[in-house]
Amino acid sequence: MSSPETAAGVDRHAVLLVGGLDPSGGAGLFTDAMVVRKLGLHPVLATTSIAVQNTSRVARHYDLPAALFGEQLNVTAEEFSLGAVKAGMLPTVEIIETFAEWLSTRPRLPLVLDPVLRATSGGELVDAAAMQAMTRVLFPRSRVLTPNLDEAAALTGRSINGRDDFPKAAEALLELGPEWVFLKGGHLSRGEAADYLASSRGGTWLVDARRAYGNTRGTGCALASAIAAHLARGDSVPDAARAAKTFLTAAMDAAYHCGKGRFLVL
Ligand code: PLP
């Protein structure tokens, strides 16, 4: 693993973070930016939506016009040396198409796509039309796709009830076009905290002792951002995935309570 470039005066690469703003401070761009900073890179943001929520419910999300989103990509990102992109909440077909067009002019920039559909509280963030557009135009452009089990089930139409179901689900997701799938097992009700990393060359388990914590906000966001940060530092996908899992586990172990939520320490 390369060392973070944190010394004073040293140039840092930037990671572009695309997603929604969670005003309750637990997930979305706020968490993404903290992860990227912590891992020694510079976060650059393109906001897709303001997801008005607390830890119990999503009241509403106000999705930005695609033109405003596109301007952020063009103006904010233009002067930075981008090492990777992480995308989370992509709520409209227009935003997804604008993003895909921008990406098509940067074919070598690695994309880590967290196919966010719902908030941890259960509130819907992305509708069926956007999910279909994301699958069609962004999955084939993704270096790593990081679904949780609910997202994997929604995307493949398969039920995933235990570890035996992971390899087939990952295969079905790979058929949708991403180079790698990091299938997150954290929502399984029993057993170890097992994730499955797969490409067309096969799959491997990443296993850790299960933590008996309730729902912690922003875990999916943090994992995908950490993978993107490690890719920007030049790590391979398997190395980036392992490092990101270790990083997330430490952030979960140190988490604090505020309001009705449990929040990562980053
Ligand atoms: N992005 C936004 C803007 C959100 O509000 C949420 C959840 O609330 C997420 C992503 C997904 O969060 P998590 O990492 O908890 O799955």
Side-chain angles (χ1 to χ4, degrees), residues 20 22 27-28 51 53 89 116 119-120 125 217-221:
D22 164 14
Q53 63 186 302
M89 179 182 177
V116 170
T120 311
L125 296 172
R217 304 293 320 288
T219 53
C221 300

Side-chain angles (χ1 to χ4, degrees), residues 5-174:
E5 294 162 354
T6 48
V10 170
D11 275 355
R12 293 186 182 195
H13 285 300
V15 174
L16 174 63
L17 302 166
V18 173
L21 202 65
D22 164 14
S24 67
L29 290 175
F30 181 72
T31 294
D32 296 331
M34 294 194 29
V35 169
V36 166
R37 271 280 178 98
K38 177 93 182 197
L39 292 174
L41 293 106
H42 178 71
V44 180
L45 313 183
T47 308
T48 59
S49 181
I50 299 179
V52 182
Q53 63 186 302
N54 54 34
T55 67
S56 314
R57 68 190 180 99
V58 178
R60 196 184 150 160
H61 52 93
Y62 292 81
D63 304 331
L64 268 57
L68 173 51
F69 168 67
E71 260 180 74
Q72 295 177 75
L73 289 178
N74 289 327
V75 179
T76 317
E78 76 185 356
E79 69 176 46
F80 294 93
S81 145
L82 296 175
V85 187
K86 181 260 167 169
M89 179 182 177
L90 296 165
T92 69
V93 175
E94 294 75 18
I95 282 175
I96 289 163
E97 286 173 349
T98 300
F99 184 36
E101 204 176 308
W102 184 86
L103 284 166
S104 71
T105 64
R106 290 160 181 80
R108 290 156 58 85
L109 190 60
L111 169 65
V112 179
L113 179 58
D114 185 21
V116 170
L117 301 177
R118 294 180 164 276
T120 311
S121 62
E124 187 184 272
L125 296 172
V126 170
D127 67 17
M131 183 180 99
Q132 279 160 19
M134 180 166 67
T135 309
R136 185 169 41 82
V137 301
L138 292 179
F139 282 19
R141 173 61 182 79
S142 298
R143 177 75 54 85
V144 190
L145 185 73
T146 63
N148 63 30
L149 295 184
D150 291 343
E151 290 155 357
L155 290 162
T156 61
R158 311 173 68 94
S159 60
I160 307 167
N161 300 312
R163 280 176 63 169
D164 290 351
D165 298 329
F166 280 42
K168 281 270 177 321
E171 237 170 68
L173 288 161
L174 286 168

Side-chain angles (χ1 to χ4, degrees), residues 143 171 174 178-180 196-204 237-238:
R143 177 75 54 85
E171 237 170 68
L174 286 168
E179 202 178 324
W180 293 82
Y196 189 71
L197 179 68
S199 73
S200 59
R201 294 172 292 284
T204 173
V237 170

